[in-house]
Each structure stands twice: as structure tokens, then as C-alpha cells.
Amino acid sequence: MKSYQKLRTAHAAARLEEEGAAPLPSGRGRLAPCWVGSGLLVAAVLLSTVTVWVLRQVSGGWLGPTPPPKCLLVPESQRFDCYPERRVVVTQELCESRGCCFIQSPPLAEGKQGVPWCFYPPDFPSYALESLNQTALGMVGVLVRREKAYYPRDIEKLRLDVEFETDTRLHIKITDAANPRYEVPLDVPRVTKRAENPIYSLNFSWDPFGVLLQRKATGAVLLNTTVAPLIFADQFLQISTSLPSKFLYGLGEHRDSFLHSLDWNTLTFWARDVAPTESFNLYGAHPFYLLMEEGGNAHGVFLLNSNAMEVALQPAPGLTWRTIGGVLDFYIFLGPDPNMVIQQYQQVIGFPAMPPIWALGFHLCRWGYGSSNETWQTVRAMRNYQIPQDAQWNDIDYMDGYRDFTLDSQKFTSLPSLVEDLHKHGQRYVMILDAGISSTSPHGSYWPFDEGLRRGLFLNTTKGQPLIGQVWPGFTAFPDFSNPDTHQWWLENLQHFYAHVPFDGVWIDMNEPSNFMDGSEDGCPPGELDSPPYTPAVLGDSLSAKTVCASAEQKASVHYNLHNLYGLMEAKATASALVRIRGKRPFLVSRSTFPSQGRYSGHWLGDNRSQCQWKDMYYSIPGLLSFSLFGIPLVGADICGFSGSTSEELCTRWMQLGAFYPFSRNHNTQNEQAQDPTAFSPAARTAMKDVLLTRYSLLPFLYTLFHRAHLQGDTVARPLFFEFPRDVATWELDRQFLWGQSLLVTPVLEPGVDSVTGYIPQGTWYDFYTGSSLNSSGEMLKMSAPLEHLNLHVRGGSILPTQKPGTTTGVTRGNPLRLIVALSSHATAWGDLFWDDGESLDTFEKGNYSYVVFNVTQNTFTSTVLHTSTEATKVTIGTLSIFGVQKPPSKVLLNGQEKPFSYLDNQVLTVSDLGMSLSQGFSLQWL
């Protein structure tokens, strides 16, 4: 076996011979040792030896015999775990039975992870690269393992496929060379020619096999998989890499800070119904990370794998992927800036759908209205106080016995009339559907189950019978959304219900899928699907904990492979059904998600808590920003918290923050006090109303951001470092965020304060409300924040299209536009506006839209219409507010004609009553 410190390299991009058939000679090129430099190596040995000796003296020798010298060579931060099994006390005997090093560390507090006691020695056997040949798109190679690893059904020979897909995207796939394996049924782009000028270079270590990926411009090593052995067994696949920095984001769905800790932190991916809690695997699975490199460049890595998985982070900095099925199918995105990384990721998984405009209004819901009349009373109260609201929702209490596609004929008998009333007022109705279908109704009395059973559309046990679990209605079966026939049955169910209650959107919940039992009413059968050789660190220590058996049979594969896709497949079926039923853009939100989900649905962050839990409000911001990375921009948390009773202060502050969630919904549980805006004191109610009016005034800007997300994968809610990637002070910020490039949101996240401290990046910024300027060198700033105030700042150099707000998006869209021009230090600005009818399908693709660009140079504002439609003729631009005009103008000219204006001491120039049609270009000059 070869030492990991002596690596032969194949300069794959440049040094292969034209025929590329033979491996490179052993003497051709060396990589620097992957552990540490030679000088540091000696120091590491001495330091480790002394450290172990001292610990032995202090601990009375509890560390056992002295480890072999090769083990002492490995610094603590670079010890890659050889025995990751949980609930096992790793002994020296267990560790050494795997051929690994054992050095015991002092115990940590319960639940805390630390330096692995059992780790790979430098010479642990791995795969060798036996051959490497060029292809039209890249390379194909064969990897061979000559010594068995320690998990069953080790795969001896692997196939390596490398495709240089674009200059900024690399695709590396490792799979069984002899037998087909499950692969995620996700549509991904297929390239037809090799990238001509990649901004990366790719090298390989031959024996042991490893990947070395570098950025050409800086030489930064983005991946180096020689740090630990590759293991590829039937149900245990593991690959590790060094990282170029500690600034790593993504890897959802978890409750965490936006920037992940690399201090021995393991993140698990297995969709699970559990209230968001730190360290738990939550509702969705997104095996994608973005990493900031020294100097401000960024790259991303996506593992296209839907099996149960975990990612172990360590302070080397390093990362280990472990999954228990499928293949290792990696996409690497080279950016080089973080915005471009996310765009490149979405070029693979798909760009998000364009939502209907009403989806961006304010939504109101609770579990426990109790009746349609009580729901209606809430709607009327909102109208009475003229508080903006676009959609009213109901939770499962509208159903008959919590059964999907039914209506409680006593308590919700007036629901059809309520929906009719909502529509008359330009509002919408959204109802919940759970994944489980009740299986206990008498035969012939519940069509969804009877017909699903007749057509064979439910998940089956290994015995071929429907798997029965338990959810809200009692015993339930689970639709198999991997079966296309299920999509038709789902459509028919929705059509039947729509005929009685003409809903506008659907909320799909409990679709991990959730199960109040572990597995099924009969448990799960013995076998390696339900009890695999290795189980990642899932909550409950079992793949079937609060979900169905992994052995359950589905049309496309076993649930073991498809579990993390359940929510995605249901969303795809639901979106398709909504298009068929309504003929308009579908609106739905899903609790469980997977990469590409943004093409079909939005997401809310699950069952958070109020109960004066201010931290839940904070955690919603990392949640928003993470789902922005995942290509699901329509995201928000339950405003004011779902479980427990909120306080007036918390709910006021949360409404201020929630007004700037891309998806803005206030929702809470049953048997708690109401928390809609009408439930509070006049002062709090007014503060909530005002911030919603602010949101509605910004709808043209927000809608344009969603258009850019749909068109090219831009983020809507955006971390500050996306706009200031070279400012390292922004890399850890997750208590503030941006809308697009231009609007900085700094919420209050603590009780009992009347100020907030936020970071203002370098440049000129303006108070959104007053237009007063602020010149920052890049600094933390304490800002006044009384209970009725949310701090918003507009970035110099931007133009925000806003509108006089109404109580619905429909009313708002009929009002005149106001353009906020925030001049840069060079007195320039730019902005744009996308406008269509707000609900028709594929308006951009069909050309049924308007697109207008706004620009300021040399004291002249211009509006340039690049594309127009009849919708734009219905809208006028009424007002221009120009922030940062250094001196009072003597006159203002609109298309050469003098116009009245106002100019304030804070350097805000306002020109009103413009009356210009959005469909017509114009210019305005101040002299």
C-alpha cells in the first residue's frame, strides 16, 4: 500500500496523451504531502508525543499504550473518523479491528462531538486509479480496491466519469463499474461538448486515488480527496476532502447559524417531521454547500444523492460525505462570485417558478379557527382595520375527521360562501392537504382511498399490501408519487374538491412523509433496508423513526432510495394539477423539499415556536438565506411563531421581520391566543399595518426580483456577502439580509430594546423612509428602533420601483408607481421593472410582459422600455423621489418641459404628478 504522503499525480486536463490510454509513469510529478509540510510534520510528531505523554501523566495513564508513530503524525484537526457509528463506545479493539489509529481524547459534555478517537492512518488502503482515458466531454477511468474495507459488499471496481461541462462547472461521478445502481431521477442538463476554457484545473492521485481541484486564477485548492480513503460499499459510501476555508454555508435542512461551525459538526440528511431544533435532521434534504475562499471568490459543491446521508465537518478544515446508497455524483460550481455559484447550481437543478403576484401579499392562517364563520370574522376584522391581506388559509380543522378532500359539513358549511366572498374582494383561499390518506372509512364512503387502492397507488409493504401508518385521521395509506398514475388520481381528487370549494392554492404538509408510528402498524421487516449496516445520525436512530419503513415498495424504487424525494414528487404532482384545474400559475408551499423543489413550490420553515422564543425569530433568517442558496426563493417562517402563545412585543417585531420574508404568512396553532394583527392593542396593530403597507409598496421591486430568480437564478432574500464578497466582515452576518442588491433589512431580534446594531457595508446608503444619507466605511452602527420602526436602508446607485400600497396586491397594482432613486457617490443609479398580468402562465416565455430599465447619469433620469405589452398601458409613473441630490436644482425638465418639484434639506428631490405611462420611455433632468 502507498502512503498518503507520496502521491503520483495525473494532470488530467493538460498532460494526458492524445489517446490517453495508459496511466502516467510513477516519477511524473509530485504533490506536496496532503497532511502537513515536512517541517511541520516533525513538529507535529514532537507536539503530539509530548501532548499524549502529558495527558497520560495527568490522567493516570487512562489513555492506554502509546500509539504507533504513524498515528502521531496526524494532527488532531485532520483526524478523519474511522468509526462514525453513534451509540457505540469506540474501544481500541474495535478501532484497530478496522485497521485504524486509536488515540483517546478527554471526554466532552453529553451530546458534544470532538476529535475522533478512531481515525485513519496515513497508509489506510483505498482505491487506486487503474486507467484513465479521454472522452469527448472529459475522461473515464477505472478505480480498483485491492484490500477489502470494513463494510459488507465492498465494490471492488468503480467507474470514474469526469465531464468538463462548462468553464465554471465540473461533473465528477463515481459508481459501480459492473452493476447498475439507483440514481436520483432528476432531470439534469446534458452537455454536448467539452468546456474550452475552464477556470479550474483537475489533477488526480493514482495510488491512493484522489481528486485535486484548483482554481486557476489563484491556485486555491478547492477539493483534495486524498486526505482520507474512499470507501464504496453497497450501503456505505464515503469520501472526504480538505476545504480552502472555514466559511461554509448550505447543507440543509437544519436549524443553525447561516455559517456552519466546522468544530466537529455532523449534519444529517433524512426528511423528518420534527419541530425545528438544533442538531436534528429536519424536513428536507439539500446536499449542497457554498464556500467562500480567501480573497472573496466562492465555489459550490452538490452531491446528487437522495439516500440517507450525513456530512461531517471538522476544523482541518475538512468535510466528509457519507451516504448509504446510490452513487457519488458531484457537481462543482466555480463561480467565481457567490451569486454566480447559485446561478450555476440552478442551471443544473432548474430555476424556480415565477409565483403569481398575490403569493407575494400577506397570508393569514391558524389551526383552530374552529369554523368557517370564525375564519370569516378574522377576514372581516382585517378589512375593517384596512390591514393588507391577500390570502386566507385553513389548517386541517376544515376537514371531516382530518381526511383529505373532505369538508366538515357542520363547522365549515359556509366555506364555499367565504371563498366566494374572498374572490369578490380580490383575495384568495389556500387550504392544507396532508400526505396520508385515511384507510378506515367504510368501503364506498371515501373515494380517495377506495380509488387509490383499486388502482394500486399507495406505498406497499414487502408483502405487496398497502403500508398502513397513522397520521391525523387515524390509520392511513401513503400515495406513491413516484408513480405517474398517482398524479392523475391526485388531480381527480383536487378536481372533485375544487368543484365545491374553488381554492386558489394548496399547502402540502406532513410529506416527509410523517407517520405517528415508527414504520407501520406492523413495524418493519428484518433486513438491511430497514436496518442497514450503517445508519447516519438520524433523529430516533432508525430510518423508520416517525416515518414509513425504508423497505416500503414504490413504483420507481424502494423507499430507502426515495424517502428524501417524497415532498418533491408530491409538489410536482400538485403543481401540475393546479395548472390543469385553474389554468394559471400554481401556488403551493411544501414542508419537505429536495433540490429542484423551487420549480414547483415554495417552503415554510416548519413548526417553530412563539412562547416568547425570540431565538426562533432569529433562526428564521439563516433559514431564509439557506433556502435562497437552495433555489427556493419563495420561503418564510410562521410569523409570530406556530406553537405556544406569543407576546405583543415579540409579535410586533416578528411582523416587522416577516413583512420582509419573501413568503409572508402569520400562522399559529390551536388552543392558543390569536396572533393576527387585529388581536393586539391599537399601537401594535398600527405598527403591523404600517409595515405591511411598506411591503405592499415594494411589491413591484419584489416581483421583479422573483422574475430575475425565475429567469437566471438570482437570489431574492440575499446574504450581505453576496454583494460584498471581499468584505470579510459580512461573511458571518445572519441577523440582517438584503432584498436583491439594494434594500438592507435590519430587524430587532431581542426583547426590551429601542435600538438595534447592524452592519452597514462600505458606501452610500439612504434611510428608506426619509431619504437621509449615510456614508459608511464598512462599520457596525447603532440605530434607533422604537417598537413601531423597522430599519430599512437603500443602497446608493440603485432605483427601486414602488407603488402606492392598497389592501390587496390587486388594488396596489392599480395605483401609480413611485420610483425611489438612490444616487451613488458618483451621482449615478440603475434599476429595472418587470411587469405582466401577475398570474398567467409563461408570460415571459410568450412575450406577454413589459420590461423597463431606469438609469441616472449626469443629473438625468431616463426610463427605457425594452419590451412592452398591453398591461403596461394600465399603469402610470406618478412620482420620482431622488435621494442624494447635492444641491437644490433651479429647475426640473420632464421630456424638455419644466415641472414643479420639491427639495428638502436632507437632499431629497421629489417630482410628483408625472402621469407617465409605464409603456412609454421618458427622461427627467434637473439643472
Side-chain angles (χ1 to χ4, degrees), residues 119-147:
F119 58 94
Y120 296 105
D123 58 356
F124 193 92
S126 183
Y127 287 86
L129 180 56
E130 186 177 73
S131 65
L132 190 65
N133 298 294
Q134 285 188 340
T135 66
L137 301 178
M139 289 170 282
V140 62
V142 174
L143 310 179
V144 175
R145 173 177 278 281
R146 297 185 179 89
E147 294 187 41

PDB file of all heavy atoms in Angstrom, residues 119-147:
ATOM      1  N   PHE A 119      -9.335   6.962  13.996  1.00  0.00           N
ATOM      2  CA  PHE A 119      -9.158   7.724  12.763  1.00  0.00           C
ATOM      3  C   PHE A 119      -8.211   6.986  11.818  1.00  0.00           C
ATOM      4  O   PHE A 119      -7.476   6.070  12.219  1.00  0.00           O
ATOM      5  CB  PHE A 119      -8.643   9.137  13.064  1.00  0.00           C
ATOM      6  CG  PHE A 119      -7.345   9.185  13.818  1.00  0.00           C
ATOM      7  CD1 PHE A 119      -6.127   9.286  13.152  1.00  0.00           C
ATOM      8  CD2 PHE A 119      -7.323   9.133  15.208  1.00  0.00           C
ATOM      9  CE1 PHE A 119      -4.930   9.324  13.842  1.00  0.00           C
ATOM     10  CE2 PHE A 119      -6.131   9.159  15.914  1.00  0.00           C
ATOM     11  CZ  PHE A 119      -4.925   9.265  15.233  1.00  0.00           C
ATOM     12  N   TYR A 120      -8.260   7.411  10.543  1.00  0.00           N
ATOM     13  CA  TYR A 120      -7.489   6.715   9.527  1.00  0.00           C
ATOM     14  C   TYR A 120      -5.998   7.039   9.629  1.00  0.00           C
ATOM     15  O   TYR A 120      -5.617   8.208   9.749  1.00  0.00           O
ATOM     16  CB  TYR A 120      -7.981   7.110   8.124  1.00  0.00           C
ATOM     17  CG  TYR A 120      -9.395   6.682   7.854  1.00  0.00           C
ATOM     18  CD1 TYR A 120     -10.435   7.612   7.867  1.00  0.00           C
ATOM     19  CD2 TYR A 120      -9.708   5.342   7.617  1.00  0.00           C
ATOM     20  CE1 TYR A 120     -11.742   7.223   7.629  1.00  0.00           C
ATOM     21  CE2 TYR A 120     -11.019   4.946   7.386  1.00  0.00           C
ATOM     22  CZ  TYR A 120     -12.038   5.885   7.400  1.00  0.00           C
ATOM     23  OH  TYR A 120     -13.331   5.499   7.182  1.00  0.00           O
ATOM     24  N   PRO A 121      -5.168   6.004   9.564  1.00  0.00           N
ATOM     25  CA  PRO A 121      -3.735   6.266   9.476  1.00  0.00           C
ATOM     26  C   PRO A 121      -3.375   6.722   8.061  1.00  0.00           C
ATOM     27  O   PRO A 121      -4.165   6.549   7.126  1.00  0.00           O
ATOM     28  CB  PRO A 121      -3.126   4.889   9.772  1.00  0.00           C
ATOM     29  CG  PRO A 121      -4.148   3.924   9.289  1.00  0.00           C
ATOM     30  CD  PRO A 121      -5.487   4.575   9.549  1.00  0.00           C
ATOM     31  N   PRO A 122      -2.214   7.315   7.875  1.00  0.00           N
ATOM     32  CA  PRO A 122      -1.839   7.792   6.541  1.00  0.00           C
ATOM     33  C   PRO A 122      -1.790   6.706   5.475  1.00  0.00           C
ATOM     34  O   PRO A 122      -1.940   7.013   4.292  1.00  0.00           O
ATOM     35  CB  PRO A 122      -0.460   8.413   6.762  1.00  0.00           C
ATOM     36  CG  PRO A 122      -0.420   8.762   8.214  1.00  0.00           C
ATOM     37  CD  PRO A 122      -1.224   7.701   8.898  1.00  0.00           C
ATOM     38  N   ASP A 123      -1.598   5.451   5.885  1.00  0.00           N
ATOM     39  CA  ASP A 123      -1.435   4.392   4.883  1.00  0.00           C
ATOM     40  C   ASP A 123      -2.649   3.466   4.796  1.00  0.00           C
ATOM     41  O   ASP A 123      -2.542   2.325   4.318  1.00  0.00           O
ATOM     42  CB  ASP A 123      -0.179   3.569   5.190  1.00  0.00           C
ATOM     43  CG  ASP A 123      -0.213   2.945   6.580  1.00  0.00           C
ATOM     44  OD1 ASP A 123      -1.172   3.221   7.336  1.00  0.00           O
ATOM     45  OD2 ASP A 123       0.721   2.200   6.925  1.00  0.00           O
ATOM     46  N   PHE A 124      -3.820   3.939   5.215  1.00  0.00           N
ATOM     47  CA  PHE A 124      -5.010   3.102   5.140  1.00  0.00           C
ATOM     48  C   PHE A 124      -5.315   2.787   3.668  1.00  0.00           C
ATOM     49  O   PHE A 124      -5.295   3.674   2.819  1.00  0.00           O
ATOM     50  CB  PHE A 124      -6.199   3.806   5.782  1.00  0.00           C
ATOM     51  CG  PHE A 124      -7.384   2.908   6.018  1.00  0.00           C
ATOM     52  CD1 PHE A 124      -7.543   2.257   7.222  1.00  0.00           C
ATOM     53  CD2 PHE A 124      -8.333   2.696   5.024  1.00  0.00           C
ATOM     54  CE1 PHE A 124      -8.638   1.427   7.442  1.00  0.00           C
ATOM     55  CE2 PHE A 124      -9.415   1.865   5.229  1.00  0.00           C
ATOM     56  CZ  PHE A 124      -9.570   1.225   6.444  1.00  0.00           C
ATOM     57  N   PRO A 125      -5.617   1.527   3.348  1.00  0.00           N
ATOM     58  CA  PRO A 125      -5.826   1.163   1.932  1.00  0.00           C
ATOM     59  C   PRO A 125      -7.063   1.827   1.339  1.00  0.00           C
ATOM     60  O   PRO A 125      -8.100   1.943   1.995  1.00  0.00           O
ATOM     61  CB  PRO A 125      -5.978  -0.353   1.963  1.00  0.00           C
ATOM     62  CG  PRO A 125      -6.371  -0.681   3.369  1.00  0.00           C
ATOM     63  CD  PRO A 125      -5.714   0.345   4.230  1.00  0.00           C
ATOM     64  N   SER A 126      -6.937   2.244   0.090  1.00  0.00           N
ATOM     65  CA  SER A 126      -8.029   2.874  -0.621  1.00  0.00           C
ATOM     66  C   SER A 126      -8.075   2.316  -2.031  1.00  0.00           C
ATOM     67  O   SER A 126      -7.481   1.265  -2.324  1.00  0.00           O
ATOM     68  CB  SER A 126      -7.835   4.397  -0.639  1.00  0.00           C
ATOM     69  OG  SER A 126      -8.920   5.036  -1.269  1.00  0.00           O
ATOM     70  N   TYR A 127      -8.772   2.980  -2.925  1.00  0.00           N
ATOM     71  CA  TYR A 127      -8.794   2.608  -4.331  1.00  0.00           C
ATOM     72  C   TYR A 127      -7.561   3.167  -5.035  1.00  0.00           C
ATOM     73  O   TYR A 127      -6.984   4.182  -4.612  1.00  0.00           O
ATOM     74  CB  TYR A 127     -10.051   3.151  -5.018  1.00  0.00           C
ATOM     75  CG  TYR A 127     -11.311   2.413  -4.640  1.00  0.00           C
ATOM     76  CD1 TYR A 127     -12.032   2.773  -3.507  1.00  0.00           C
ATOM     77  CD2 TYR A 127     -11.769   1.346  -5.401  1.00  0.00           C
ATOM     78  CE1 TYR A 127     -13.191   2.103  -3.150  1.00  0.00           C
ATOM     79  CE2 TYR A 127     -12.931   0.662  -5.051  1.00  0.00           C
ATOM     80  CZ  TYR A 127     -13.639   1.043  -3.933  1.00  0.00           C
ATOM     81  OH  TYR A 127     -14.773   0.367  -3.585  1.00  0.00           O
ATOM     82  N   ALA A 128      -7.180   2.504  -6.109  1.00  0.00           N
ATOM     83  CA  ALA A 128      -6.137   3.006  -6.999  1.00  0.00           C
ATOM     84  C   ALA A 128      -6.755   3.279  -8.362  1.00  0.00           C
ATOM     85  O   ALA A 128      -7.681   2.579  -8.799  1.00  0.00           O
ATOM     86  CB  ALA A 128      -5.001   1.995  -7.128  1.00  0.00           C
ATOM     87  N   LEU A 129      -6.275   4.301  -9.024  1.00  0.00           N
ATOM     88  CA  LEU A 129      -6.734   4.644 -10.371  1.00  0.00           C
ATOM     89  C   LEU A 129      -5.975   3.766 -11.357  1.00  0.00           C
ATOM     90  O   LEU A 129      -4.783   3.948 -11.598  1.00  0.00           O
ATOM     91  CB  LEU A 129      -6.485   6.124 -10.646  1.00  0.00           C
ATOM     92  CG  LEU A 129      -6.902   6.678 -12.007  1.00  0.00           C
ATOM     93  CD1 LEU A 129      -8.382   6.428 -12.274  1.00  0.00           C
ATOM     94  CD2 LEU A 129      -6.596   8.171 -12.072  1.00  0.00           C
ATOM     95  N   GLU A 130      -6.676   2.773 -11.901  1.00  0.00           N
ATOM     96  CA  GLU A 130      -6.013   1.781 -12.751  1.00  0.00           C
ATOM     97  C   GLU A 130      -5.833   2.284 -14.178  1.00  0.00           C
ATOM     98  O   GLU A 130      -4.821   1.990 -14.837  1.00  0.00           O
ATOM     99  CB  GLU A 130      -6.835   0.493 -12.748  1.00  0.00           C
ATOM    100  CG  GLU A 130      -6.181  -0.656 -13.482  1.00  0.00           C
ATOM    101  CD  GLU A 130      -7.008  -1.926 -13.372  1.00  0.00           C
ATOM    102  OE1 GLU A 130      -8.057  -2.012 -14.026  1.00  0.00           O
ATOM    103  OE2 GLU A 130      -6.596  -2.825 -12.596  1.00  0.00           O
ATOM    104  N   SER A 131      -6.801   3.028 -14.689  1.00  0.00           N
ATOM    105  CA  SER A 131      -6.684   3.553 -16.051  1.00  0.00           C
ATOM    106  C   SER A 131      -7.469   4.849 -16.141  1.00  0.00           C
ATOM    107  O   SER A 131      -8.393   5.094 -15.366  1.00  0.00           O
ATOM    108  CB  SER A 131      -7.217   2.550 -17.076  1.00  0.00           C
ATOM    109  OG  SER A 131      -8.612   2.352 -16.909  1.00  0.00           O
ATOM    110  N   LEU A 132      -7.088   5.671 -17.111  1.00  0.00           N
ATOM    111  CA  LEU A 132      -7.748   6.953 -17.322  1.00  0.00           C
ATOM    112  C   LEU A 132      -7.662   7.292 -18.802  1.00  0.00           C
ATOM    113  O   LEU A 132      -6.570   7.358 -19.367  1.00  0.00           O
ATOM    114  CB  LEU A 132      -7.067   8.037 -16.480  1.00  0.00           C
ATOM    115  CG  LEU A 132      -7.771   9.392 -16.388  1.00  0.00           C
ATOM    116  CD1 LEU A 132      -9.109   9.249 -15.674  1.00  0.00           C
ATOM    117  CD2 LEU A 132      -6.890  10.395 -15.636  1.00  0.00           C
ATOM    118  N   ASN A 133      -8.809   7.477 -19.423  1.00  0.00           N
ATOM    119  CA  ASN A 133      -8.861   7.744 -20.858  1.00  0.00           C
ATOM    120  C   ASN A 133      -9.677   8.989 -21.144  1.00  0.00           C
ATOM    121  O   ASN A 133     -10.648   9.287 -20.441  1.00  0.00           O
ATOM    122  CB  ASN A 133      -9.494   6.556 -21.605  1.00  0.00           C
ATOM    123  CG  ASN A 133      -8.673   5.288 -21.450  1.00  0.00           C
ATOM    124  OD1 ASN A 133      -7.555   5.207 -21.930  1.00  0.00           O
ATOM    125  ND2 ASN A 133      -9.248   4.316 -20.749  1.00  0.00           N
ATOM    126  N   GLN A 134      -9.297   9.682 -22.177  1.00  0.00           N
ATOM    127  CA  GLN A 134     -10.052  10.855 -22.592  1.00  0.00           C
ATOM    128  C   GLN A 134     -11.343  10.445 -23.292  1.00  0.00           C
ATOM    129  O   GLN A 134     -11.413   9.417 -23.952  1.00  0.00           O
ATOM    130  CB  GLN A 134      -9.218  11.714 -23.542  1.00  0.00           C
ATOM    131  CG  GLN A 134      -8.126  12.504 -22.858  1.00  0.00           C
ATOM    132  CD  GLN A 134      -7.472  13.479 -23.810  1.00  0.00           C
ATOM    133  OE1 GLN A 134      -7.549  13.332 -25.022  1.00  0.00           O
ATOM    134  NE2 GLN A 134      -6.807  14.473 -23.254  1.00  0.00           N
ATOM    135  N   THR A 135     -12.350  11.310 -23.135  1.00  0.00           N
ATOM    136  CA  THR A 135     -13.606  11.179 -23.878  1.00  0.00           C
ATOM    137  C   THR A 135     -13.900  12.526 -24.532  1.00  0.00           C
ATOM    138  O   THR A 135     -13.183  13.509 -24.313  1.00  0.00           O
ATOM    139  CB  THR A 135     -14.766  10.796 -22.952  1.00  0.00           C
ATOM    140  OG1 THR A 135     -15.014  11.877 -22.040  1.00  0.00           O
ATOM    141  CG2 THR A 135     -14.455   9.524 -22.170  1.00  0.00           C
ATOM    142  N   ALA A 136     -14.967  12.569 -25.280  1.00  0.00           N
ATOM    143  CA  ALA A 136     -15.324  13.827 -25.940  1.00  0.00           C
ATOM    144  C   ALA A 136     -15.631  14.915 -24.934  1.00  0.00           C
ATOM    145  O   ALA A 136     -15.413  16.106 -25.197  1.00  0.00           O
ATOM    146  CB  ALA A 136     -16.523  13.603 -26.862  1.00  0.00           C
ATOM    147  N   LEU A 137     -16.146  14.537 -23.756  1.00  0.00           N
ATOM    148  CA  LEU A 137     -16.547  15.529 -22.768  1.00  0.00           C
ATOM    149  C   LEU A 137     -15.589  15.637 -21.594  1.00  0.00           C
ATOM    150  O   LEU A 137     -15.706  16.565 -20.796  1.00  0.00           O
ATOM    151  CB  LEU A 137     -17.944  15.195 -22.233  1.00  0.00           C
ATOM    152  CG  LEU A 137     -19.069  15.143 -23.271  1.00  0.00           C
ATOM    153  CD1 LEU A 137     -20.380  14.742 -22.603  1.00  0.00           C
ATOM    154  CD2 LEU A 137     -19.220  16.493 -23.956  1.00  0.00           C
ATOM    155  N   GLY A 138     -14.671  14.704 -21.461  1.00  0.00           N
ATOM    156  CA  GLY A 138     -13.758  14.738 -20.328  1.00  0.00           C
ATOM    157  C   GLY A 138     -12.905  13.506 -20.252  1.00  0.00           C
ATOM    158  O   GLY A 138     -12.040  13.273 -21.106  1.00  0.00           O
ATOM    159  N   MET A 139     -13.183  12.650 -19.260  1.00  0.00           N
ATOM    160  CA  MET A 139     -12.382  11.451 -19.040  1.00  0.00           C
ATOM    161  C   MET A 139     -13.238  10.343 -18.450  1.00  0.00           C
ATOM    162  O   MET A 139     -14.272  10.608 -17.833  1.00  0.00           O
ATOM    163  CB  MET A 139     -11.233  11.744 -18.074  1.00  0.00           C
ATOM    164  CG  MET A 139     -10.148  12.621 -18.651  1.00  0.00           C
ATOM    165  SD  MET A 139      -9.013  13.150 -17.378  1.00  0.00           S
ATOM    166  CE  MET A 139      -9.954  14.443 -16.608  1.00  0.00           C
ATOM    167  N   VAL A 140     -12.784   9.138 -18.638  1.00  0.00           N
ATOM    168  CA  VAL A 140     -13.371   7.987 -17.974  1.00  0.00           C
ATOM    169  C   VAL A 140     -12.231   7.161 -17.402  1.00  0.00           C
ATOM    170  O   VAL A 140     -11.184   6.985 -18.037  1.00  0.00           O
ATOM    171  CB  VAL A 140     -14.256   7.158 -18.931  1.00  0.00           C
ATOM    172  CG1 VAL A 140     -13.446   6.588 -20.085  1.00  0.00           C
ATOM    173  CG2 VAL A 140     -14.983   6.053 -18.181  1.00  0.00           C
ATOM    174  N   GLY A 141     -12.409   6.679 -16.177  1.00  0.00           N
ATOM    175  CA  GLY A 141     -11.357   5.909 -15.531  1.00  0.00           C
ATOM    176  C   GLY A 141     -11.920   4.720 -14.786  1.00  0.00           C
ATOM    177  O   GLY A 141     -13.132   4.587 -14.594  1.00  0.00           O
ATOM    178  N   VAL A 142     -11.018   3.860 -14.354  1.00  0.00           N
ATOM    179  CA  VAL A 142     -11.375   2.682 -13.562  1.00  0.00           C
ATOM    180  C   VAL A 142     -10.599   2.743 -12.253  1.00  0.00           C
ATOM    181  O   VAL A 142      -9.379   2.941 -12.248  1.00  0.00           O
ATOM    182  CB  VAL A 142     -11.053   1.376 -14.311  1.00  0.00           C
ATOM    183  CG1 VAL A 142     -11.307   0.172 -13.406  1.00  0.00           C
ATOM    184  CG2 VAL A 142     -11.882   1.272 -15.580  1.00  0.00           C
ATOM    185  N   LEU A 143     -11.332   2.571 -11.145  1.00  0.00           N
ATOM    186  CA  LEU A 143     -10.737   2.540  -9.818  1.00  0.00           C
ATOM    187  C   LEU A 143     -10.830   1.113  -9.287  1.00  0.00           C
ATOM    188  O   LEU A 143     -11.859   0.465  -9.429  1.00  0.00           O
ATOM    189  CB  LEU A 143     -11.460   3.478  -8.857  1.00  0.00           C
ATOM    190  CG  LEU A 143     -11.710   4.918  -9.310  1.00  0.00           C
ATOM    191  CD1 LEU A 143     -12.461   5.690  -8.231  1.00  0.00           C
ATOM    192  CD2 LEU A 143     -10.406   5.601  -9.644  1.00  0.00           C
ATOM    193  N   VAL A 144      -9.756   0.655  -8.669  1.00  0.00           N
ATOM    194  CA  VAL A 144      -9.709  -0.722  -8.166  1.00  0.00           C
ATOM    195  C   VAL A 144      -9.281  -0.716  -6.709  1.00  0.00           C
ATOM    196  O   VAL A 144      -8.341  -0.015  -6.324  1.00  0.00           O
ATOM    197  CB  VAL A 144      -8.734  -1.576  -9.000  1.00  0.00           C
ATOM    198  CG1 VAL A 144      -8.611  -2.974  -8.393  1.00  0.00           C
ATOM    199  CG2 VAL A 144      -9.203  -1.676 -10.440  1.00  0.00           C
ATOM    200  N   ARG A 145      -9.994  -1.480  -5.891  1.00  0.00           N
ATOM    201  CA  ARG A 145      -9.613  -1.678  -4.492  1.00  0.00           C
ATOM    202  C   ARG A 145      -9.045  -3.082  -4.353  1.00  0.00           C
ATOM    203  O   ARG A 145      -9.707  -4.068  -4.700  1.00  0.00           O
ATOM    204  CB  ARG A 145     -10.822  -1.484  -3.572  1.00  0.00           C
ATOM    205  CG  ARG A 145     -10.544  -1.830  -2.110  1.00  0.00           C
ATOM    206  CD  ARG A 145     -11.730  -1.574  -1.202  1.00  0.00           C
ATOM    207  NE  ARG A 145     -11.843  -0.191  -0.798  1.00  0.00           N
ATOM    208  CZ  ARG A 145     -11.109   0.381   0.158  1.00  0.00           C
ATOM    209  NH1 ARG A 145     -10.183  -0.333   0.789  1.00  0.00           N
ATOM    210  NH2 ARG A 145     -11.284   1.645   0.475  1.00  0.00           N
ATOM    211  N   ARG A 146      -7.849  -3.169  -3.825  1.00  0.00           N
ATOM    212  CA  ARG A 146      -7.187  -4.468  -3.694  1.00  0.00           C
ATOM    213  C   ARG A 146      -7.327  -5.071  -2.298  1.00  0.00           C
ATOM    214  O   ARG A 146      -7.061  -6.251  -2.108  1.00  0.00           O
ATOM    215  CB  ARG A 146      -5.713  -4.321  -4.061  1.00  0.00           C
ATOM    216  CG  ARG A 146      -5.521  -3.899  -5.522  1.00  0.00           C
ATOM    217  CD  ARG A 146      -4.056  -3.872  -5.943  1.00  0.00           C
ATOM    218  NE  ARG A 146      -3.939  -3.475  -7.346  1.00  0.00           N
ATOM    219  CZ  ARG A 146      -3.838  -2.219  -7.769  1.00  0.00           C
ATOM    220  NH1 ARG A 146      -3.834  -1.239  -6.885  1.00  0.00           N
ATOM    221  NH2 ARG A 146      -3.730  -1.932  -9.046  1.00  0.00           N
ATOM    222  N   GLU A 147      -7.720  -4.269  -1.343  1.00  0.00           N
ATOM    223  CA  GLU A 147      -7.958  -4.771   0.011  1.00  0.00           C
ATOM    224  C   GLU A 147      -9.360  -4.372   0.450  1.00  0.00           C
ATOM    225  O   GLU A 147      -9.772  -3.233   0.276  1.00  0.00           O
ATOM    226  CB  GLU A 147      -6.941  -4.192   0.998  1.00  0.00           C
ATOM    227  CG  GLU A 147      -5.517  -4.650   0.746  1.00  0.00           C
ATOM    228  CD  GLU A 147      -4.588  -4.192   1.857  1.00  0.00           C
ATOM    229  OE1 GLU A 147      -5.007  -4.251   3.034  1.00  0.00           O
ATOM    230  OE2 GLU A 147      -3.461  -3.761   1.550  1.00  0.00           O
TER     231      GLU A 147
END
